[in-house]
Amino acid sequence: FFLFKNKMAFRQAFKVAAPVAGRVASRSIATTQKLQAHSQSYVGVAAVGIAITSASLVLSSPAEAEAKVDVAAIKAAIIKTIEDEDARRDDGTSIAPTFIRLAWHCAGTFSKADGSGGSNGCRMRYGPEAGWGANAGLSTPRSFLDSLAKKFPGVSSADIYTYAGAVAVETMGGPEVPFTFGRTDLTDGTTSPPDGRLPNADMGGDVATAQHLRDIFYRMGFNDRDIVALSGAHAVGRCHEDASGYWGPWTRAEATFSNEYFRLLKEEKWTKKTKKHESGGCPWKGPDQYESEDGTLMMLPSDVVLVKDPAFNAWVEKYKDDEELFFKDFATAFGKLLALGCAQKSALAKDNSVGGGLINSIKGLVGL
């Protein structure tokens, strides 16, 4: 117990299934050490507005740098919010995966064709975006983060919403996600893009669903490798019937970020769900989804198609066998996702697909 200085990390390690628990324990200790290191002071370079931390590179204009955003304090507040809510639940679930989903949906409306959508503006707070079917269930994380944002009046809600997703990944034992502050907030949703830019779980067939994933992600500037890496976020969290119509967790360690999602995709036998999960075995009347042999885990049609499509499956195989590679690729792709729609950060977002030029982009910003 005393090895775990992070309360959430201890609860995760205690509750997860045996095949994953050993990895979780060691990763939780490492994560705690990284979080402590992140609280150290920042090295500023005022001329170009750059602050280098142990966990990320924070880029801003000189004026924004002068505002002295206390990133460590914001991060600590997000972690405390997660830990307090998870302690209140005390059932092995976590609010952290929902923070990831919120950040994802804030940014995932971007279109590279015209630059519309994306995380800048925080239009998620208003209609029509707040009421989209794809955003069902996100009022809860919004309320948590709206309360937290009041403690940091110099930081936009757009930054708080997206940074919470990055912090949630790391807090659950995942990789550090590159993050840039400097988003601004709009006062209404009049510039929201049209509904339909977020991915659907099922388009009625494997070929159509695979094409839909490519249409959605290619529109934002991602490739097949990115699609599979970002799908790995389904290692955490679960679906809720009252929100999406689907039910169940993807893994048995739903508050631990790992490559279990890919292992389960390949090693479990997935069949169409026919009965409800409650006792009595009533017929399942929800949308098509897949379940494990014991009925305790689920996969969406958009998950299963990753192993049916040869190009996607090649990356599923790699990530199943190499968690380090998955973490690296996920951090790069998720960092790019969170930056979409931020014109002042275009140099960071440009060519930052997995295997792309993050370092070269940073060098370009500082004239190297």
Side-chain angles (χ1 to χ4, degrees):
F1 174 84
F2 295 103
L3 291 175
F4 294 86
K5 299 177 183 178
N6 181 307
K7 293 180 291 183
M8 179 181 173
F10 172 73
R11 289 196 302 273
Q12 290 171 354
F14 184 77
K15 293 177 181 290
V16 295
V20 191
R23 283 197 322 230
V24 175
S26 60
R27 190 185 304 138
S28 297
I29 297 172
T31 298
T32 298
Q33 293 170 342
K34 288 188 289 184
L35 296 179
Q36 290 172 335
H38 187 73
S39 298
Q40 303 302 314
S41 60
Y42 295 84
V43 180
V45 184
V48 291
I50 297 180
I52 300 176
T53 77
S54 63
S56 62
L57 184 65
V58 181
L59 304 178
S60 60
S61 70
E64 290 169 336
E66 290 175 2
K68 297 180 180 179
V69 173
D70 192 343
V71 179
I74 297 171
K75 185 173 189 178
I78 293 170
I79 293 172
K80 186 177 188 303
T81 298
I82 293 171
E83 290 188 336
D84 287 351
E85 171 60 12
D86 292 357
R88 185 195 67 79
R89 297 182 180 191
D90 195 31
D91 61 0
T93 67
S94 173
I95 191 66
T98 320
F99 283 174
I100 296 174
R101 180 172 171 243
L102 176 66
W104 207 119
H105 286 212
C106 282
T109 59
F110 180 74
S111 172
K112 67 178 183 178
D114 60 9
S116 61
S119 62
N120 199 39
C122 206
R123 288 172 285 254
M124 168 70 76
R125 296 182 296 168
Y126 311 107
E129 286 189 41
W132 289 347
N135 291 331
L138 291 180
S139 59
T140 297
R142 286 201 303 267
S143 65
F144 277 112
L145 296 177
D146 286 343
S147 297
L148 186 149
K150 294 177 182 177
K151 301 176 183 179
F152 303 96
V155 181
S156 68
S157 291
D159 276 342
I160 294 291
Y161 279 25
T162 46
Y163 188 49
V167 173
V169 170
E170 186 180 351
T171 303
M172 289 187 288
E176 298 169 359
V177 177
F179 188 84
T180 301
F181 283 86
R183 293 163 186 77
T184 56
D185 291 335
L186 296 174
T187 57
D188 57 47
T190 55
T191 60
S192 287
D195 194 2
R197 288 192 177 184
L198 296 170
N200 291 322
D202 187 7
M203 296 302 291
D206 294 338
V207 174
T209 300
Q211 185 59 51
H212 170 71
L213 289 176
R214 290 189 169 98
D215 290 343
I216 292 292
F217 284 88
Y218 287 9
R219 186 201 70 231
M220 293 185 278
F222 292 109
N223 56 34
D224 286 359
R225 184 176 182 177
D226 300 319
I227 293 172
V228 180
L230 288 169
S231 296
H234 283 173
V236 296
R238 61 168 54 216
C239 287
H240 300 269
E241 281 185 77
D242 59 352
S244 65
Y246 298 98
W247 176 86
W250 286 270
T251 75
R252 295 181 177 86
E254 59 185 276
T256 300
F257 203 91
S258 71
N259 66 341
E260 275 294 285
Y261 167 78
F262 300 110
R263 186 190 68 79
L264 290 167
L265 264 177
K266 296 298 296 185
E267 296 181 6
E268 279 282 346
K269 180 180 179 181
W270 300 99
T271 57
K272 287 285 186 70
K273 186 176 182 66
T274 59
K275 296 182 179 180
K276 289 181 70 69
H277 50 281
E278 295 96 342
S279 58
C282 297
W284 171 252
K285 297 182 179 180
D288 284 350
Q289 69 174 73
Y290 294 81
E291 64 181 4
S292 56
E293 286 191 275
D294 64 3
T296 61
L297 301 179
M298 65 87 66
M299 290 286 173
L300 301 169
S302 56
D303 297 312
V304 172
V305 78
L306 296 181
V307 298
K308 293 184 176 181
D309 181 278
F312 288 152
N313 183 60
W315 291 106
V316 173
E317 290 281 3
K318 290 178 184 295
Y319 296 147
K320 173 182 73 72
D321 296 331
D322 192 339
E323 187 176 76
E324 183 178 354
L325 175 64
F326 164 54
F327 275 25
K328 173 180 174 291
D329 286 0
F330 179 85
T332 300
F334 196 51
K336 174 185 176 179
L337 174 67
L338 298 183
L340 294 178
C342 304
Q344 70 272 30
K345 310 300 187 302
S346 60
L348 180 66
K350 182 180 179 182
D351 193 29
N352 191 21
S353 57
V354 172
L358 175 60
I359 299 301
N360 288 334
S361 296
I362 294 170
K363 289 180 177 179
L365 282 173
V366 298
L368 298 178

